[in-house]
Amino acid sequence: ERIEFGSEIIEIKPYAFYQCRALTEINLPNTLKTVGNYAFCGCSALLEITLPDSVETLGNGCFEECDAIKTFTAGKGLKTVGNNAFMLCPKLESVTLNQGLTEIGDKAFANSRIPRKCERPWRLCYRLQTVEIGQIAVVHKSCVGRSV
């Protein structure tokens, strides 16, 4: 299934599409500012996420447990990636972050089958092949987990 949002949407509320397992594609509008906490958590058929430049905030766990996601591309306006935003996305192969990003939350790209404390920042991102990061002001110590 595919979701097309109206052009006046500025926020996707928390848990709006929680565990919509048949959802394969979302087309986010250029007016969107915020993806709420756990908005798409458990949408296990989503394959890729491309944010429009208008999106500033990804809430906590917004794409957590999206098992099929392979690609995430941030738009130019993204400032904050919340805690656990992409946690448990084992097929994530490519992440492109923008220059204006200022904060990546705790365990944002981590897999939950990890030790609770780890000194290295890329934990259990075994399939992650590329990461492009501009100037980041805050990266939490455990944002992505153990290096491969």
Side-chain angles (χ1 to χ4, degrees), residues 48-123:
E48 69 179 84
I49 304 298
T50 300
L51 299 180
D53 292 342
S54 60
V55 176
E56 297 176 357
T57 304
L58 292 181
N60 297 337
C62 60
F63 294 104
E64 184 174 341
E65 295 182 29
C66 291
D67 301 338
I69 289 179
K70 293 183 177 184
T71 305
F72 168 67
T73 304
K76 294 177 184 174
L78 188 63
K79 295 180 184 350
T80 303
V81 176
N83 298 337
N84 307 332
F86 290 90
M87 186 171 178
L88 283 169
C89 295
K91 293 184 180 177
L92 191 60
E93 295 173 346
S94 176
V95 174
T96 303
L97 301 173
N98 60 311
Q99 297 261 339
L101 188 63
T102 58
E103 182 173 356
I104 299 175
D106 192 38
K107 298 178 184 164
F109 295 93
N111 185 315
S112 70
R113 290 176 266 144
I114 55 172
R116 291 193 183 264
K117 294 190 178 187
C118 183
E119 296 299 319
R120 293 177 285 173
W122 298 94
R123 148 174 86 206

Side-chain angles (χ1 to χ4, degrees), residues 19-39:
Q19 294 190 352
C20 289
R21 298 189 197 293
L23 185 61
T24 58
E25 186 178 346
I26 54 175
N27 187 4
L28 300 171
N30 291 328
T31 54
L32 186 66
K33 298 276 186 203
T34 302
V35 177
N37 295 345
Y38 305 97

